[in-house]
Structure formats: C-alpha cells, structure tokens
C-alpha cells in the first residue's frame, strides 16, 4: 500500500518541512531536521506487512538519506 497524496501533504505540514527521523543508525542525535527539499519520503513507522496502515498517525517524513538507512528501503 502507499500513502495518499492527502496524507503525504499532512505529513509534510506536521513535520514543518523537516525530516522527522530519530534513528541512531543515521548518526544524528535526536531528530534529523534536514530540510525536505526535492526528494523526500513518507515512511511507515510500522510496515503494512506487520499490521501498519497508511494513515497520518503511522507515518514519518524522512529525507532521502535517512530513508535509505531504514531496514526496509526498497522493499
């Protein structure tokens, strides 16, 4: 499944146009906060295959770099 454009727009606004990633594997402490310019991704907090859904509450706005660092990138 994929996020609707409406949910993506809401994710971007909620994030204030900045990456919401807090993964320690990315090398930043706390939230990334990189500006979401050009390519960015709405990322599932919990994969759909594991029972997640495509709602605003289960999404994160991620810069392309942080999204590539997820264990599910490209799946």
């Amino acid at each position: 499944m994929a996020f609707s454009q409406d949910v993506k727009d809401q994710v971007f606004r909620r994030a204030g146009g900045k990456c919401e990633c807090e993964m320690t594997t990315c090398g930043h402490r706390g939230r990334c906060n990189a500006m979401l310019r050009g390519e960015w991704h709405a990322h599932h907090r919990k994969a759909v295959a594991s029972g997640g859904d495509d709602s605003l509450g289960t999404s994160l706005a991620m810069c392309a770099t942080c999204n590539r660092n997820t264990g599910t990138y490209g799946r």
Side-chain angles (χ1 to χ4, degrees):
M1 298 181 81
F3 294 106
S4 69
Q5 188 60 51
D6 182 53
V7 170
K8 289 179 186 178
D9 293 343
Q10 290 178 57
V11 170
F12 186 86
R13 284 192 301 274
R14 181 195 64 208
K18 296 181 179 180
C19 181
E20 296 180 297
C21 177
E22 294 183 345
M23 296 186 310
T24 56
T25 56
C26 290
H28 47 75
R29 295 182 187 259
R31 185 172 158 166
C32 173
N33 279 325
M35 294 300 296
L36 300 176
R37 296 189 179 116
E39 183 184 1
W40 69 277
H41 303 269
H43 181 77
H44 290 92
R45 291 177 192 261
K46 182 177 184 180
V48 174
S50 298
D53 62 27
D54 295 328
S55 68
L56 177 62
T58 63
S59 63
L60 291 171
M62 295 183 102
C63 66
T65 300
C66 288
N67 193 53
R68 280 190 295 274
N69 288 329
T70 68
T72 57
Y73 179 73
R75 291 185 193 179

